[in-house]
Amino acid sequence: MPAHHGHSHAPQAGHGRAFAIGIALNLGFVVIEAGYGFWADSMALLSDAGHNLSDVLGLAIAWGAALLSRRSPTERFTYGLRSSSILAALFNALLLLVAVGGIVWESIERLIEPAPVAAVTVMIVAGIGIIVNGFTAFLFMHGHSDLNIRGAFLHMVADAAVSLGVVLGGLAILWTGADWIDPVLSLVIAAVIVWGTWSLLKQSLTLSLHGVPRGIAVPDVRRALERMPGVARVHHLHVWAVSTTEAALTAHLVMPDGHPGDRFLAQAQQDLKDRFGIEHATLQIEIHRPEADGHGPECPLEQHEHSHEGHIHGGHHPHGEASHLSPQ
């Protein structure tokens, strides 16, 4: 007896204006910073310009993914294109690591052959960078539940901090005349980028492989389902990410005392949403005794050698009724 409890899953309007302003500001600053980096012969400015350029590309990719995630579901893409936000986060992390490789390579060459640096120019340009990156970060202060938005915010904050480091480095060069400070500072910038990117890379890779989103503990979800009235056992439990902001769940609930009715399913869905942030829940009710479980304890996804025969996801279970909760 299927039961559908509808609620809206439409993505938020997004940060369209923030993305547009951030891209425009940072692209303009990249041109200025790279130009003065060549003129001042500063590896720190050039490496920061390369980092900012990767962030511009990252913002553009994240914006595109945000727009794609608002596309309505189709018969081919039944979840719409929500998962494009996961791919964008993963690509952004990889893009930043590639930029780091270029920065490290150039910095090592500059350490081997130091060159004079126009410290005052470096300080002025980097000071502008603090303003540009700080303002862009302010535009993304809200919406951190979205991995893309949080990634954009953290990147801009890191850029502002890096620009501050470049200012301090220019001041140190001005005081000491030690040109080696510039490439060393560039290596520090590379380390900061890797440190800030690693978490984003791990999370986006986990989500792209249908891993459980951060903040959701499967044992806690299982216990919550098992404690619901009438539930004797929970099996075939799966949790994965639909997008960087939405999670989905499927589970089989063994309820020997009979089908609990639509109200139970609606309450279960609401509890999963309130406690764990799981918005797409599909629950299958099975009417049979745990000791006479004809399903077997394992899911075919967990035991590849098992046959799919007898694993019924709809209609009637051979031992009784089956019901689904599939929010639209």
Side-chain angles (χ1 to χ4, degrees), residues 294-320:
H295 246 29
E298 301 297 339
C299 174
L301 290 174
E302 300 163 356
Q303 297 289 326
H304 293 291
E305 67 271 16
H306 285 185
S307 168
H308 285 267
E309 289 185 85
H311 189 161
I312 301 174
H313 290 279
H316 294 280
H317 188 275
H319 295 280

Side-chain angles (χ1 to χ4, degrees), residues 9-323:
H9 292 290
Q12 297 178 351
H15 292 66
R17 180 175 297 180
F19 278 121
I21 295 174
I23 290 172
L25 285 176
N26 281 273
L27 187 58
F29 179 64
V30 165
V31 174
I32 295 173
E33 189 173 33
Y36 276 100
F38 281 113
W39 182 79
D41 204 17
S42 169
M43 191 59 221
L45 277 183
L46 289 174
S47 62
D48 193 37
H51 180 206
N52 277 292
L53 179 59
S54 69
D55 280 346
V56 169
L57 296 176
L59 286 173
I61 293 169
W63 190 11
L67 294 176
L68 287 175
S69 67
R70 297 168 62 185
R71 296 281 296 273
S72 299
T74 65
E75 291 185 357
R76 183 173 179 80
F77 298 99
T78 56
Y79 278 119
L81 297 177
R82 286 172 164 84
S83 60
S84 60
S85 59
I86 298 174
L87 296 178
L90 177 61
F91 187 80
N92 281 339
L94 295 175
L95 185 65
L96 281 170
L97 293 179
V98 170
V100 166
I103 292 172
V104 171
W105 180 269
E106 292 297 329
S107 298
I108 292 175
E109 287 189 344
R110 185 60 62 89
L111 271 175
I112 296 173
E113 297 181 6
V117 178
V120 175
T121 301
V122 169
M123 293 170 61
I124 293 174
V125 176
I128 297 173
I130 295 175
I131 298 173
V132 171
N133 291 315
F135 177 72
T136 305
F138 172 77
L139 297 176
F140 293 99
M141 282 189 65
H142 303 290
H144 289 191
S145 58
D146 187 330
L147 192 61
N148 271 332
I149 301 301
R150 186 163 66 88
F153 173 78
L154 291 176
H155 284 180
M156 294 302 107
V157 169
D159 283 351
V162 166
S163 294
L164 176 60
V166 174
V167 170
L168 296 177
L171 189 61
I173 294 173
L174 198 61
W175 281 350
T176 65
D179 293 326
W180 58 265
I181 292 177
D182 186 74
V184 168
L185 182 60
S186 184
L187 290 174
V188 172
I189 292 173
V192 170
I193 297 171
V194 171
W195 179 79
T197 304
W198 191 248
S199 176
L200 179 65
L201 177 63
K202 289 195 299 182
Q203 290 184 60
S204 58
L205 184 59
T206 296
L207 297 186
S208 68
L209 294 174
H210 287 172
V212 179
R214 172 178 286 188
I216 299 177
V218 172
D220 292 342
V221 175
R222 183 183 298 276
R223 281 191 292 270
L225 291 172
E226 289 175 341
R227 289 170 182 168
M228 292 179 179
V231 177
R233 190 163 68 83
V234 176
H235 62 125
H236 293 28
L237 173 61
H238 301 284
V239 181
W240 71 97
V242 178
S243 70
T244 52
T245 59
E246 298 170 284
L249 171 148
T250 60
H252 293 199
L253 307 183
V254 179
M255 305 186 72
D257 293 335
H259 191 281
D262 292 352
R263 180 174 296 180
F264 170 88
L265 295 177
Q267 185 60 52
Q269 186 275 330
Q270 190 62 46
D271 288 346
L272 290 170
K273 179 179 179 181
D274 294 342
R275 293 187 58 183
F276 304 104
I278 299 173
E279 299 216 4
H280 302 267
T282 301
L283 300 176
Q284 176 165 309
I285 306 301
E286 298 172 358
I287 313 300
H288 61 284
R289 297 291 174 184
E291 61 271 15
D293 188 354
H295 246 29
E298 301 297 339
C299 174
L301 290 174
E302 300 163 356
Q303 297 289 326
H304 293 291
E305 67 271 16
H306 285 185
S307 168
H308 285 267
E309 289 185 85
H311 189 161
I312 301 174
H313 290 279
H316 294 280
H317 188 275
H319 295 280
E321 298 180 19
S323 177

